[in-house]
Amino acid sequence: MSKPVTIRVDDTLHALLKERAEAEGTTVTALITQAAHDAVRAPRLEGAAEIFRDFIDGAADAFDAAFPDDAPSRLGAPGRAA
């Protein structure tokens, strides 16, 4: 069951929200709901991309050794993130 939440925004912000919603083919309510979800998402997800990049950087040599046919020859080679 959903609960109504009322917020007050100035005319400028409302116009920006409406413009953005129209551009994305959605509603102002949907934009604000998504923003609320983003604001309270699990804190363990914060920084997850950086942790993943660190893991990949640390495991690249082991992956290349385990799968030599798939290993790029240099870090900047196609298929390898720089």
Side-chain angles (χ1 to χ4, degrees):
M1 178 174 189
S2 63
K3 298 283 184 182
V5 175
T6 303
I7 63 169
R8 298 208 180 277
V9 297
D10 63 32
D11 291 337
T12 303
L13 179 55
H14 185 263
L16 291 170
L17 286 165
K18 191 172 178 180
E19 181 180 310
R20 175 85 177 258
E22 288 173 3
E24 293 184 13
T26 190
T27 65
V28 170
T29 299
L31 283 179
I32 293 171
T33 300
Q34 184 58 53
H37 278 286
D38 292 347
V40 297
R41 71 175 176 229
R44 64 187 174 157
L45 296 178
E46 298 298 325
E50 187 62 32
I51 292 168
F52 180 74
R53 283 187 200 98
D54 290 345
F55 171 77
I56 294 300
D57 288 343
D61 291 337
F63 181 87
D64 292 349
F67 305 98
D69 293 339
D70 297 323
S73 59
R74 296 266 182 251
L75 181 61
R80 173 62 67 95

